[in-house]
Amino acid sequence: MFGYRVPAPDEAMLISGGRRGLSGAPFRVVTGHGKFVLPVFRKTRFLTLAMCEAEVAETCVTRQGIALTVKAVIAFKVGNDHESIVNAGQRFLSDQDQMSILTGRIFAGHLRSIIGSMTVEEIVTERQKLATEVLETSKTEMAKIGLSVDSLQIQSIDDGHTGYIDAMSAPHLAAIQRQAQIAQAQATQASVEAQQVAARNQAEYARQTAVVQAEYSAQVDRAQAESAQAGPLAQAHAQQEVLAAQTELALRAAELRQQQLVAEIVKPAEAEAERIRVLAVADAERMRIQAAAAASHDRVALDRMLIDQLPQIVKEAAGGLAGANVNVLNGSDGLSEIAAGLVSQGLTILDSVRKNLDGADGAEGSAERSANGTVALRGYPTGSRRRGDKDSGSSSTDGPIDID
C-alpha cells in the first residue's frame, strides 16, 4: 500500500519528520509492526538489529614487561530497548559499519589496560577471567553508544620470539613428556607381558590340545580293543551261560531223579519197614499180653497148687526132722520155734517158685537147689544142730538144717 512501511524482524524503522519520538528523540522508532508514513512529509530509515562481529589483534605489555599479541573476537549488536536504538541510530545510522570498527578499538583499549595488570601466567592460564574483566569494564561505555556485547573470546596469545610462553610450558612439557614416556614404557611392558601371556596361553592350549588328542586316541584305541574283544567275550559269556544253564538243568534233573528214587524206593521201603515194625510191635505186644495172661493164669494155678501142697511140704519137712539129731534147749518154746521155722521154710519155698516164674535169675532167692538135689532151709532159730555133727558139748549151732 502506498505510504505503508514495515521493518524487517532484525531491523528498527526510524521515522523522522513530523512530531518527535519518545524522550525527545529526533525520530520515532518502530519495531515488529508496520506504520503508515506520509510521503514527502516523512522520511524512513532502517537500523540493523542483527548480530555484528569485531576482531581485535592488539600487542599488549604485561605487568612483567613482556609484550604479548592478543587476538580476540567480540560479538555485539544494537540493544533491543528504545534508548539503545535511539543512541545507536544517532551515532551509526548513516554509516553502520563504523559499529564494528569502534567496538574493536574500544575493546583493544580495555585489553591493553587489563593485560597490563596481569602476568603472563595469569593471562595464559586464566583466559576466561581476562575476558570477563574486559566485558565488565566495557559494558558501561558500550551502553552509551547503544551497543550490547554478547560474548568475548580470546583466540590466541603470542609472545612473539621471546620464548617466554615456551619456557613457561617447558617444565609442564617435560613432565608431560616424562609421563608420556612412562606411559609408553608401561604400555610397552604391558604389551610384552600380554604377548608373553598370549604365548603361554598358546603353549598351554597346545599342551591341552595334545593331551586331549592323546586321550581321544587312547579312548579310540581302547574302544577298538574292546570292540575286537567284544565278540570273543560275548561268545565266552554265552558259553558260560549255556554251561550254567546245563549245570542248573543237570542239578534239577538229579534232584528230580532223587525225588523219583525217594518216591519209588525209599518211601515204599520206609512204608514197608514201618508196616513191619508196626506189625512186629503189635505182634510182640500181643505175645506179651498173651504171655502175661498165661503167666498170670499159670501163677494163679501154681499158687493154688502150692497152697494145696503146703501142708504136705511142711509134713515132709517135719518127717525129715523125725530122724534128725535135734537138741532142744528151751523145752516147749524151742519146739514151737522149730515148728514156726518149718512153716516159714515152706512159705519161703513158695515165694521162690513164684519169683522163678516171673523171670528172676533165682540167685537172690531164699531157696536154692544144691547139686545133689537137696533143698536148704534157712531161718531156723539157734539151738538146732545138723545131723551127723559130732557132739562138741556146745549148746547151739549156726547154719541151716539139712533135710535128705
mmCIF file of all heavy atoms in Angstrom, residues 287-319:
data_model
loop_
_atom_site.group_PDB
_atom_site.id
_atom_site.type_symbol
_atom_site.label_atom_id
_atom_site.label_comp_id
_atom_site.label_asym_id
_atom_site.label_seq_id
_atom_site.Cartn_x
_atom_site.Cartn_y
_atom_site.Cartn_z
ATOM 1 N N MET A 287 1.912 -160.950 71.946
ATOM 2 C CA MET A 287 2.548 -162.078 72.632
ATOM 3 C C MET A 287 2.787 -161.744 74.094
ATOM 4 O O MET A 287 2.623 -162.591 74.967
ATOM 5 C CB MET A 287 3.860 -162.428 71.947
ATOM 6 C CG MET A 287 3.666 -162.992 70.514
ATOM 7 S SD MET A 287 5.233 -163.327 69.698
ATOM 8 C CE MET A 287 5.832 -164.641 70.761
ATOM 9 N N ARG A 288 3.206 -160.446 74.351
ATOM 10 C CA ARG A 288 3.441 -160.079 75.746
ATOM 11 C C ARG A 288 2.155 -160.173 76.541
ATOM 12 O O ARG A 288 2.130 -160.668 77.673
ATOM 13 C CB ARG A 288 4.003 -158.645 75.814
ATOM 14 C CG ARG A 288 4.429 -158.227 77.219
ATOM 15 C CD ARG A 288 4.819 -156.789 77.239
ATOM 16 N NE ARG A 288 3.690 -155.929 76.929
ATOM 17 C CZ ARG A 288 2.737 -155.612 77.823
ATOM 18 N NH1 ARG A 288 2.788 -156.105 79.051
ATOM 19 N NH2 ARG A 288 1.735 -154.834 77.478
ATOM 20 N N ILE A 289 1.084 -159.666 75.883
ATOM 21 C CA ILE A 289 -0.199 -159.734 76.605
ATOM 22 C C ILE A 289 -0.613 -161.186 76.838
ATOM 23 O O ILE A 289 -1.089 -161.564 77.922
ATOM 24 C CB ILE A 289 -1.268 -158.965 75.816
ATOM 25 C CG1 ILE A 289 -0.906 -157.466 75.784
ATOM 26 C CG2 ILE A 289 -2.646 -159.179 76.408
ATOM 27 C CD1 ILE A 289 -1.784 -156.649 74.879
ATOM 28 N N GLN A 290 -0.385 -162.016 75.761
ATOM 29 C CA GLN A 290 -0.732 -163.425 75.924
ATOM 30 C C GLN A 290 0.141 -164.093 76.980
ATOM 31 O O GLN A 290 -0.363 -164.871 77.817
ATOM 32 C CB GLN A 290 -0.567 -164.154 74.582
ATOM 33 C CG GLN A 290 -1.606 -163.752 73.535
ATOM 34 C CD GLN A 290 -1.358 -164.424 72.192
ATOM 35 O OE1 GLN A 290 -0.367 -165.146 72.049
ATOM 36 N NE2 GLN A 290 -2.291 -164.219 71.257
ATOM 37 N N ALA A 291 1.486 -163.787 76.961
ATOM 38 C CA ALA A 291 2.384 -164.382 77.960
ATOM 39 C C ALA A 291 2.003 -163.927 79.350
ATOM 40 O O ALA A 291 2.011 -164.701 80.303
ATOM 41 C CB ALA A 291 3.833 -164.012 77.642
ATOM 42 N N ALA A 292 1.680 -162.560 79.405
ATOM 43 C CA ALA A 292 1.294 -162.060 80.714
ATOM 44 C C ALA A 292 0.031 -162.752 81.190
ATOM 45 O O ALA A 292 -0.116 -163.103 82.359
ATOM 46 C CB ALA A 292 1.104 -160.541 80.654
ATOM 47 N N ALA A 293 -0.888 -162.920 80.253
ATOM 48 C CA ALA A 293 -2.121 -163.596 80.644
ATOM 49 C C ALA A 293 -1.865 -165.037 81.033
ATOM 50 O O ALA A 293 -2.382 -165.545 82.036
ATOM 51 C CB ALA A 293 -3.131 -163.521 79.494
ATOM 52 N N ALA A 294 -1.005 -165.725 80.205
ATOM 53 C CA ALA A 294 -0.681 -167.114 80.520
ATOM 54 C C ALA A 294 0.061 -167.225 81.822
ATOM 55 O O ALA A 294 -0.206 -168.084 82.654
ATOM 56 C CB ALA A 294 0.129 -167.720 79.374
ATOM 57 N N ALA A 295 1.061 -166.298 82.003
ATOM 58 C CA ALA A 295 1.838 -166.338 83.248
ATOM 59 C C ALA A 295 0.930 -166.074 84.430
ATOM 60 O O ALA A 295 1.051 -166.699 85.484
ATOM 61 C CB ALA A 295 2.970 -165.315 83.180
ATOM 62 N N SER A 296 0.019 -165.103 84.227
ATOM 63 C CA SER A 296 -0.895 -164.814 85.320
ATOM 64 C C SER A 296 -1.768 -166.040 85.621
ATOM 65 O O SER A 296 -1.973 -166.404 86.787
ATOM 66 C CB SER A 296 -1.752 -163.606 84.954
ATOM 67 O OG SER A 296 -2.701 -163.357 85.960
ATOM 68 N N HIS A 297 -2.194 -166.689 84.556
ATOM 69 C CA HIS A 297 -3.017 -167.876 84.743
ATOM 70 C C HIS A 297 -2.214 -169.003 85.391
ATOM 71 O O HIS A 297 -2.678 -169.653 86.337
ATOM 72 C CB HIS A 297 -3.584 -168.321 83.387
ATOM 73 C CG HIS A 297 -4.416 -169.545 83.465
ATOM 74 N ND1 HIS A 297 -5.713 -169.567 84.040
ATOM 75 C CD2 HIS A 297 -4.153 -170.833 83.083
ATOM 76 C CE1 HIS A 297 -6.194 -170.791 83.992
ATOM 77 N NE2 HIS A 297 -5.270 -171.595 83.416
ATOM 78 N N ASP A 298 -0.969 -169.187 84.895
ATOM 79 C CA ASP A 298 -0.116 -170.239 85.470
ATOM 80 C C ASP A 298 0.218 -169.940 86.914
ATOM 81 O O ASP A 298 0.279 -170.821 87.770
ATOM 82 C CB ASP A 298 1.156 -170.398 84.652
ATOM 83 C CG ASP A 298 0.849 -170.944 83.246
ATOM 84 O OD1 ASP A 298 -0.254 -171.508 83.077
ATOM 85 O OD2 ASP A 298 1.700 -170.743 82.339
ATOM 86 N N ARG A 299 0.518 -168.679 87.194
ATOM 87 C CA ARG A 299 0.891 -168.333 88.567
ATOM 88 C C ARG A 299 -0.284 -168.565 89.514
ATOM 89 O O ARG A 299 -0.119 -169.024 90.634
ATOM 90 C CB ARG A 299 1.329 -166.851 88.607
ATOM 91 C CG ARG A 299 1.891 -166.445 89.957
ATOM 92 C CD ARG A 299 2.636 -165.116 89.880
ATOM 93 N NE ARG A 299 1.844 -164.069 89.257
ATOM 94 C CZ ARG A 299 2.082 -163.578 88.083
ATOM 95 N NH1 ARG A 299 3.097 -164.055 87.378
ATOM 96 N NH2 ARG A 299 1.305 -162.625 87.591
ATOM 97 N N VAL A 300 -1.430 -168.167 89.027
ATOM 98 C CA VAL A 300 -2.602 -168.412 89.895
ATOM 99 C C VAL A 300 -2.788 -169.903 90.133
ATOM 100 O O VAL A 300 -3.036 -170.369 91.257
ATOM 101 C CB VAL A 300 -3.862 -167.794 89.250
ATOM 102 C CG1 VAL A 300 -5.114 -168.215 90.007
ATOM 103 C CG2 VAL A 300 -3.749 -166.265 89.238
ATOM 104 N N ALA A 301 -2.568 -170.652 89.011
ATOM 105 C CA ALA A 301 -2.715 -172.123 89.166
ATOM 106 C C ALA A 301 -1.636 -172.691 90.054
ATOM 107 O O ALA A 301 -1.880 -173.559 90.908
ATOM 108 C CB ALA A 301 -2.682 -172.790 87.795
ATOM 109 N N LEU A 302 -0.393 -172.190 89.866
ATOM 110 C CA LEU A 302 0.721 -172.684 90.703
ATOM 111 C C LEU A 302 0.508 -172.291 92.147
ATOM 112 O O LEU A 302 0.776 -173.090 93.075
ATOM 113 C CB LEU A 302 2.043 -172.138 90.173
ATOM 114 C CG LEU A 302 3.295 -172.604 90.902
ATOM 115 C CD1 LEU A 302 3.411 -174.149 90.870
ATOM 116 C CD2 LEU A 302 4.539 -171.985 90.301
ATOM 117 N N ASP A 303 0.082 -171.048 92.357
ATOM 118 C CA ASP A 303 -0.158 -170.630 93.745
ATOM 119 C C ASP A 303 -1.211 -171.545 94.400
ATOM 120 O O ASP A 303 -1.081 -171.937 95.563
ATOM 121 C CB ASP A 303 -0.647 -169.171 93.769
ATOM 122 C CG ASP A 303 0.479 -168.216 93.411
ATOM 123 O OD1 ASP A 303 1.664 -168.638 93.456
ATOM 124 O OD2 ASP A 303 0.197 -167.020 93.091
ATOM 125 N N ARG A 304 -2.212 -171.791 93.600
ATOM 126 C CA ARG A 304 -3.230 -172.694 94.160
ATOM 127 C C ARG A 304 -2.664 -174.071 94.456
ATOM 128 O O ARG A 304 -2.952 -174.671 95.501
ATOM 129 C CB ARG A 304 -4.406 -172.801 93.179
ATOM 130 C CG ARG A 304 -5.586 -173.629 93.695
ATOM 131 C CD ARG A 304 -6.699 -173.617 92.683
ATOM 132 N NE ARG A 304 -7.200 -172.273 92.467
ATOM 133 C CZ ARG A 304 -8.099 -171.688 93.257
ATOM 134 N NH1 ARG A 304 -8.590 -172.332 94.303
ATOM 135 N NH2 ARG A 304 -8.511 -170.462 92.988
ATOM 136 N N MET A 305 -1.792 -174.532 93.527
ATOM 137 C CA MET A 305 -1.214 -175.869 93.726
ATOM 138 C C MET A 305 -0.277 -175.861 94.923
ATOM 139 O O MET A 305 -0.281 -176.789 95.739
ATOM 140 C CB MET A 305 -0.462 -176.297 92.472
ATOM 141 C CG MET A 305 0.146 -177.719 92.580
ATOM 142 S SD MET A 305 1.111 -178.135 91.131
ATOM 143 C CE MET A 305 2.438 -176.992 91.303
ATOM 144 N N LEU A 306 0.546 -174.817 95.052
ATOM 145 C CA LEU A 306 1.485 -174.747 96.168
ATOM 146 C C LEU A 306 0.725 -174.639 97.487
ATOM 147 O O LEU A 306 1.133 -175.224 98.499
ATOM 148 C CB LEU A 306 2.418 -173.546 95.984
ATOM 149 C CG LEU A 306 3.464 -173.692 94.853
ATOM 150 C CD1 LEU A 306 4.258 -172.425 94.706
ATOM 151 C CD2 LEU A 306 4.385 -174.866 95.139
ATOM 152 N N ILE A 307 -0.301 -173.825 97.428
ATOM 153 C CA ILE A 307 -1.076 -173.718 98.677
ATOM 154 C C ILE A 307 -1.657 -175.062 99.056
ATOM 155 O O ILE A 307 -1.703 -175.473 100.235
ATOM 156 C CB ILE A 307 -2.174 -172.646 98.509
ATOM 157 C CG1 ILE A 307 -1.529 -171.246 98.376
ATOM 158 C CG2 ILE A 307 -3.157 -172.660 99.677
ATOM 159 C CD1 ILE A 307 -2.487 -170.159 97.984
ATOM 160 N N ASP A 308 -2.100 -175.741 97.990
ATOM 161 C CA ASP A 308 -2.671 -177.062 98.294
ATOM 162 C C ASP A 308 -1.598 -178.024 98.781
ATOM 163 O O ASP A 308 -1.876 -178.907 99.605
ATOM 164 C CB ASP A 308 -3.347 -177.643 97.037
ATOM 165 C CG ASP A 308 -4.578 -176.841 96.625
ATOM 166 O OD1 ASP A 308 -5.139 -176.123 97.513
ATOM 167 O OD2 ASP A 308 -4.971 -176.861 95.448
ATOM 168 N N GLN A 309 -0.351 -177.849 98.251
ATOM 169 C CA GLN A 309 0.732 -178.765 98.631
ATOM 170 C C GLN A 309 1.472 -178.310 99.855
ATOM 171 O O GLN A 309 2.377 -179.022 100.326
ATOM 172 C CB GLN A 309 1.730 -178.903 97.466
ATOM 173 C CG GLN A 309 1.147 -179.540 96.214
ATOM 174 C CD GLN A 309 0.708 -180.990 96.475
ATOM 175 O OE1 GLN A 309 1.338 -181.744 97.282
ATOM 176 N NE2 GLN A 309 -0.396 -181.431 95.846
ATOM 177 N N LEU A 310 1.196 -177.084 100.358
ATOM 178 C CA LEU A 310 1.964 -176.581 101.504
ATOM 179 C C LEU A 310 1.845 -177.472 102.725
ATOM 180 O O LEU A 310 2.869 -177.756 103.376
ATOM 181 C CB LEU A 310 1.485 -175.152 101.842
ATOM 182 C CG LEU A 310 2.222 -174.461 102.991
ATOM 183 C CD1 LEU A 310 3.718 -174.358 102.688
ATOM 184 C CD2 LEU A 310 1.643 -173.084 103.264
ATOM 185 N N PRO A 311 0.695 -177.986 103.061
ATOM 186 C CA PRO A 311 0.670 -178.894 104.243
ATOM 187 C C PRO A 311 1.527 -180.121 104.022
ATOM 188 O O PRO A 311 2.210 -180.564 104.943
ATOM 189 C CB PRO A 311 -0.817 -179.225 104.383
ATOM 190 C CG PRO A 311 -1.524 -178.086 103.739
ATOM 191 C CD PRO A 311 -0.677 -177.667 102.626
ATOM 192 N N GLN A 312 1.529 -180.626 102.792
ATOM 193 C CA GLN A 312 2.337 -181.806 102.523
ATOM 194 C C GLN A 312 3.811 -181.480 102.644
ATOM 195 O O GLN A 312 4.600 -182.293 103.145
ATOM 196 C CB GLN A 312 2.012 -182.347 101.125
ATOM 197 C CG GLN A 312 2.747 -183.636 100.778
ATOM 198 C CD GLN A 312 2.314 -184.819 101.691
ATOM 199 O OE1 GLN A 312 1.158 -184.872 102.175
ATOM 200 N NE2 GLN A 312 3.219 -185.772 101.970
ATOM 201 N N ILE A 313 4.193 -180.268 102.166
ATOM 202 C CA ILE A 313 5.612 -179.862 102.252
ATOM 203 C C ILE A 313 6.009 -179.745 103.704
ATOM 204 O O ILE A 313 7.078 -180.204 104.119
ATOM 205 C CB ILE A 313 5.826 -178.547 101.506
ATOM 206 C CG1 ILE A 313 5.620 -178.762 99.993
ATOM 207 C CG2 ILE A 313 7.225 -178.009 101.752
ATOM 208 C CD1 ILE A 313 5.615 -177.501 99.216
ATOM 209 N N VAL A 314 5.184 -179.135 104.499
ATOM 210 C CA VAL A 314 5.517 -178.986 105.919
ATOM 211 C C VAL A 314 5.573 -180.348 106.587
ATOM 212 O O VAL A 314 6.436 -180.640 107.422
ATOM 213 C CB VAL A 314 4.472 -178.082 106.604
ATOM 214 C CG1 VAL A 314 4.712 -178.023 108.099
ATOM 215 C CG2 VAL A 314 4.532 -176.671 105.998
ATOM 216 N N LYS A 315 4.660 -181.206 106.151
ATOM 217 C CA LYS A 315 4.648 -182.541 106.739
ATOM 218 C C LYS A 315 5.911 -183.278 106.402
ATOM 219 O O LYS A 315 6.518 -183.945 107.259
ATOM 220 C CB LYS A 315 3.417 -183.317 106.226
ATOM 221 C CG LYS A 315 3.302 -184.734 106.772
ATOM 222 C CD LYS A 315 2.061 -185.389 106.233
ATOM 223 C CE LYS A 315 1.928 -186.847 106.787
ATOM 224 N NZ LYS A 315 0.728 -187.565 106.249
ATOM 225 N N GLU A 316 6.329 -183.171 105.116
ATOM 226 C CA GLU A 316 7.559 -183.841 104.724
ATOM 227 C C GLU A 316 8.739 -183.278 105.469
ATOM 228 O O GLU A 316 9.649 -184.014 105.866
ATOM 229 C CB GLU A 316 7.774 -183.701 103.211
ATOM 230 C CG GLU A 316 6.757 -184.466 102.377
ATOM 231 C CD GLU A 316 6.887 -185.985 102.564
ATOM 232 O OE1 GLU A 316 8.014 -186.439 102.860
ATOM 233 O OE2 GLU A 316 5.882 -186.656 102.364
ATOM 234 N N ALA A 317 8.748 -181.947 105.652
ATOM 235 C CA ALA A 317 9.854 -181.349 106.400
ATOM 236 C C ALA A 317 9.844 -181.812 107.822
ATOM 237 O O ALA A 317 10.885 -182.094 108.409
ATOM 238 C CB ALA A 317 9.727 -179.811 106.328
ATOM 239 N N ALA A 318 8.699 -181.909 108.350
ATOM 240 C CA ALA A 318 8.642 -182.391 109.740
ATOM 241 C C ALA A 318 9.028 -183.837 109.827
ATOM 242 O O ALA A 318 9.690 -184.288 110.780
ATOM 243 C CB ALA A 318 7.220 -182.179 110.282
ATOM 244 N N GLY A 319 8.656 -184.622 108.794
ATOM 245 C CA GLY A 319 9.053 -186.012 108.785
ATOM 246 C C GLY A 319 10.559 -186.127 108.666
ATOM 247 O O GLY A 319 11.161 -187.043 109.238
#
